[in-house]
Amino acid sequence: MRIAIDAMGGDFAPQEIVKGAVEAARDLPGIDRLFLVGDEAAIRAELAKHGETPECIEIRHASQVIEMADSPALALRRKKDSSIMQAVNLVKEGEAGAIFSAGSTGAAVAACTLRLRTLDNVNRPAIATVLPSIEHPFILLDAGATTDCTAAMLVEFAAMGDIYAKKILNVENPTVGLLSIGGEAAKGSKFTKEAFQLLEKSPLNFIGNVESHDLFEGKVDVAVCDGFVGNVVLKTSESVSHAMSQWLKESFASSAIRKVGAGILKASGAFKEIKEKVDPEAYGGAPLLGVKGVCIIGHGSSSSYAVYNAIRVAGTAIDQRLNHLIEEEINEIFGSEHSE
């Protein structure tokens, strides 16, 4: 596998990006080439901290960086030598099969969509975010790539999520739910009702509408919605998780006996076990499904652990021929001439 990595994207770039790439190069089997794209001097300085550089790592210089505050559309036009753009170009030109970036999500989505184009019979891409639930992880998509959707696009998202759950999360027959305001088929907007009817006719394991509380109770493996709703759900869940963490810290620190109890829980490994269940870095990032080539988008605060896992997931997606399977499933649902 050959993977292009935006070495300058993220809050802790290039340090954590380079560290994660080096660890992946040393530990993961089947890596032919890892392209570290960005400021060559900065990348070399970081590589020097990790001893001998693995032979599969290659630096590709890019003189510009798209910052989080930049407008994605403007930045792609004005910063043609950005690390994101040059990494995407490596996939476009066939030198790499996948890209990872923890930089600007908007820029990554725009660059991949414009340069790589969508898969045959896929109208719009979708960001698929893996989230924890009481029972098992589930996929939420779209989490922000396509805010204005048609009902048919939601079926495309469902098909892409179904394949990702099977091949990456190893779910044999994923359940698919349509995120709405009630479980009954009659609930929802005109848009979701139309999507419900299309999903019901599809060969997917569609279980009907699901509400927000169903997601984290483990009712579905794949939850489908438009990018506007999905992004709100994602950001809200992240905020609640952060608030809960702060409340627990404050509560445990409020008295001597609670501090003792917290120490016992920590020593027992309870906190570590919970952290592992809810740690998004274990999944490396969110795939942008529906584009030609594999694209994994990392959180801006991605550590080397997240980078390592993103490379692992990207490699698995390449090996499993994920995009080919997505095209096959969408053709099965809609027919080979599907388009909006």
Side-chain angles (χ1 to χ4, degrees):
M1 57 181 144
R2 302 169 69 86
I3 301 170
I5 301 166
D6 172 13
M8 312 309 291
D11 300 338
F12 306 113
Q15 297 92 336
E16 292 297 304
I17 309 299
V18 171
K19 182 182 178 183
V22 170
E23 291 170 349
R26 289 173 177 166
D27 294 347
L28 296 177
I31 293 178
D32 299 312
R33 186 71 63 193
L34 293 181
F35 297 99
L36 290 176
V37 185
D39 184 284
E40 183 172 0
I43 294 171
R44 288 197 183 280
E46 290 303 319
L47 284 172
K49 298 177 182 178
H50 302 286
E52 185 176 353
T53 300
E55 290 185 4
C56 67
I57 288 181
E58 180 179 334
I59 300 172
R60 289 294 178 93
H61 180 68
S63 62
Q64 297 171 307
V65 178
I66 294 179
E67 307 291 348
M68 293 294 188
D70 290 342
S71 163
L74 286 174
L76 291 178
R77 288 199 296 269
R78 296 174 179 175
K79 296 183 176 181
K80 296 186 183 298
D81 195 38
S82 67
S83 53
I84 287 180
M85 199 60 158
Q86 291 307 319
V88 171
N89 283 339
L90 287 173
V91 178
K92 174 69 175 179
E93 294 160 8
E95 290 192 69
I99 173 180
F100 166 74
S101 176
S104 166
T105 297
V109 170
C112 288
T113 305
L114 292 171
R115 290 291 292 149
L116 304 181
R117 302 297 182 183
T118 57
L119 297 172
D120 292 343
N121 295 316
V122 172
N123 287 286
R124 295 288 188 277
I127 296 174
T129 299
V130 181
L131 295 171
S133 76
I134 293 173
E135 299 293 332
H136 49 69
F138 71 95
I139 301 169
L140 174 73
L141 76 167
D142 178 25
T146 305
T147 55
D148 296 313
C149 300
T150 64
M153 288 177 197
L154 290 195
V155 183
E156 293 176 12
F157 297 168
M160 294 191 289
D162 175 71
I163 293 296
Y164 195 82
K166 288 175 180 175
K167 297 302 178 181
I168 305 299
L169 300 185
N170 299 313
V171 181
E172 185 175 346
N173 186 27
T175 53
V176 176
L178 175 64
L179 190 57
S180 188
I181 58 172
E184 301 84 0
K187 291 288 183 71
S189 64
K190 180 180 179 182
F191 165 63
T192 57
K193 290 176 184 176
E194 184 182 349
F196 185 102
Q197 293 177 351
L198 292 176
L199 285 164
E200 200 171 35
K201 296 174 184 176
S202 77
L204 299 168
N205 185 14
F206 179 57
I207 64 168
N209 287 342
V210 292
E211 298 180 74
S212 295
H213 65 81
D214 293 321
L215 303 181
F216 298 96
E217 292 175 3
K219 189 173 180 178
V220 293
D221 298 302
V222 179
V224 183
C225 57
D226 63 64
F228 182 89
V229 171
N231 196 258
V232 171
V233 171
L234 176 62
K235 297 294 175 58
T236 302
S237 63
E238 289 177 343
S239 178
V240 170
S241 177
H242 178 72
M244 286 294 295
S245 178
Q246 289 299 114
W247 293 337
L248 286 170
K249 287 179 182 177
E250 292 170 5
S251 181
F252 281 129
S254 64
S255 69
I257 192 168
R258 289 185 179 184
K259 288 180 181 178
V260 172
I264 293 171
L265 287 171
K266 184 177 181 180
S268 71
F271 289 150
K272 182 180 179 182
E273 183 178 329
I274 293 171
K275 183 180 179 181
E276 288 174 350
K277 285 184 178 180
V278 301
D279 187 3
E281 293 201 335
Y283 305 104
L288 178 66
L289 300 178
V291 295
K292 294 179 179 178
V294 173
C295 174
I296 307 294
I297 299 173
H299 197 282
S301 61
S302 290
S303 69
S304 60
Y305 177 61
V307 176
Y308 176 97
N309 283 314
I311 294 169
R312 174 183 57 80
V313 170
T316 302
I318 294 171
D319 289 343
Q320 293 288 335
R321 301 174 67 237
L322 189 73
N323 284 342
H324 175 72
L325 295 175
I326 286 172
E327 288 181 324
E328 281 190 342
E329 183 146 310
I330 288 176
N331 286 345
E332 181 183 349
I333 294 171
F334 290 105
S336 60
E337 300 302 322
H338 168 61
S339 63
E340 284 297 310

